[in-house]
Amino acid sequence: MEPGERDLGMVFQSLALFPHMSVFNNIAFGLRIKKVRESEVRERVRGVAETMKVSSLLLKRPGQLSGGEAQRVALARTVVNNPSAFLMDEPLSSLDAKLRVEMRTELKRLHSTLGTTFIYVTHDQAEAMTMANRIMVMKDGRIQQVGDPLSIYNNPRNMFVAGFFGVPSMNFIHGHLEAQGGTVRFKVNNLMCTLEGGDMGSALDGRAVSVGVRPENIQLVGSGGVSVGTVNLIEPLGDETLVFIDYGGDETLITKVEASHGVRPGDRVNIDFTREGVLLFDGDTEERIVL
């Protein structure tokens, strides 16, 4: 079918508003192309303008709008045509951080109101996690995993998916496994972690792997743990603090602690992993190994 016949509402990354037209005429453009009666055009434009909170902007031109206002106008122009589905190509990428959060809320509210399918393209994993009912993760044009946000976050199929979701990103530690019966041990420098391998245990002996563990699954403990490391950097975020730990490997482990924890650069700390939060990935294929 020709693009105009597909009943797909497109929201462009650049918004693609006509700069020489008023907001009213931008929103009405699609209806007029479809030869809708002018009385109905006015009624529908004013109705959607009220829904998108742009009624006071109808006589302005795009160059007179703020980023958030222009975004609402672009959405209104698509919504007014009542398409069967929406395709949104990174529509919030040009907005500042605060406005992006506000517009995410607006889009979720709009989706709930319209009850229509939204296909939303984004490189921002926070947008995907907070807005989607279902996520398709792609790399180099190939689908890596499809599922609801929490299942993808907690059970990634490979290292790409695991590393894409989460702020900060998942920690990866590269090395080999040592297996005796059903017990599997991973050791790199002074970092050691023991896992239950079950029936797979002996088959994993000597296997090159990457261990993945999210920052929230690493704890600072009083003694024992899987390793002793040195704090080389902290990043206070207000409600929590990111702690960067040198454990003697090539990479740095990142964990989260409460803002009141009091850890400082140069401190020697004991770290431990939440065992159910430790994931294994094949060192060659980067695919998940499920014990």
Side-chain angles (χ1 to χ4, degrees), residues 221-257:
V221 295
S223 61
V226 300
S227 179
V228 176
T230 302
V231 177
N232 59 31
L233 179 69
I234 63 170
E235 289 187 355
L237 300 178
D239 59 331
E240 62 186 5
T241 298
L242 299 183
V243 182
F244 295 73
I245 303 169
D246 180 2
Y247 64 91
D250 295 331
E251 294 85 17
T252 298
L253 292 179
I254 304 175
T255 185
K256 299 177 181 180
V257 299

Side-chain angles (χ1 to χ4, degrees), residues 23-279:
V23 167
F24 183 97
N25 289 331
N26 265 283
I27 298 174
F29 183 81
L31 297 176
R32 287 171 173 161
I33 290 294
K34 294 178 180 178
K35 310 294 185 185
V36 175
R37 294 193 322 273
E38 193 60 27
S39 60
E40 184 179 347
V41 169
R42 289 194 296 271
E43 182 181 346
R44 289 172 64 174
V45 168
R46 295 191 186 283
V48 77
E50 184 175 342
T51 299
M52 298 305 300
K53 302 176 185 177
V54 295
S55 297
S56 62
L57 308 175
L58 292 178
L59 299 180
K60 292 185 177 183
R61 292 190 177 185
Q64 299 172 290
L65 306 178
S66 68
E69 290 170 343
Q71 185 67 64
R72 286 187 172 89
V73 172
L75 287 168
R77 181 183 59 184
T78 306
V79 171
V80 77
N81 292 290
N82 194 27
S84 297
F86 290 82
L87 175 58
M88 301 185 178
D89 181 16
E90 299 192 70
L92 308 184
S93 61
S94 61
L95 304 181
D96 62 61
K98 183 175 183 295
L99 194 52
R100 288 180 76 156
V101 173
E102 292 176 0
M103 287 306 301
R104 285 207 309 253
T105 304
E106 291 286 343
L107 283 172
K108 289 191 73 170
R109 185 179 294 117
L110 179 64
H111 178 256
S112 177
T113 301
L114 297 177
T116 307
T117 297
F118 282 21
I119 304 170
Y120 191 98
V121 182
T122 182
H123 286 88
D124 187 328
Q125 53 94 6
E127 285 183 7
M129 287 291 295
T130 57
M131 296 174 66
N133 303 107
R134 192 168 174 82
I135 296 174
M136 177 187 294
V137 186
M138 300 187 72
K139 178 187 178 186
D140 301 329
R142 293 184 179 274
I143 298 170
Q144 302 297 306
Q145 188 169 350
V146 181
D148 66 86
L150 286 180
S151 67
I152 287 181
Y153 183 84
N154 292 320
N155 296 293
R157 285 185 55 188
N158 55 43
M159 286 180 63
F160 176 81
V161 176
F164 186 77
F165 288 92
V167 179
S169 181
M170 178 178 279
N171 298 282
F172 291 111
I173 310 154
H174 310 289
H176 291 78
L177 295 178
E178 300 173 356
Q180 292 183 345
T183 300
V184 178
R185 176 178 295 173
F186 178 85
K187 188 175 187 298
V188 173
N189 295 331
N190 66 338
L191 185 152
M192 183 175 68
C193 181
T194 301
L195 302 168
E196 291 299 321
D199 295 336
M200 288 184 60
S202 57
L204 295 174
D205 188 38
R207 183 98 166 253
V209 298
S210 294
V211 168
V213 57
R214 296 198 183 279
E216 60 267 28
N217 290 321
I218 301 177
Q219 296 87 37
L220 304 187
V221 295
S223 61
V226 300
S227 179
V228 176
T230 302
V231 177
N232 59 31
L233 179 69
I234 63 170
E235 289 187 355
L237 300 178
D239 59 331
E240 62 186 5
T241 298
L242 299 183
V243 182
F244 295 73
I245 303 169
D246 180 2
Y247 64 91
D250 295 331
E251 294 85 17
T252 298
L253 292 179
I254 304 175
T255 185
K256 299 177 181 180
V257 299
E258 294 181 358
S260 59
H261 192 283
V263 66
R264 295 288 181 268
D267 288 353
R268 296 283 288 172
V269 293
N270 292 286
I271 61 176
D272 202 356
F273 296 158
T274 304
R275 291 300 187 271
E276 58 269 21
V278 177
L279 306 181

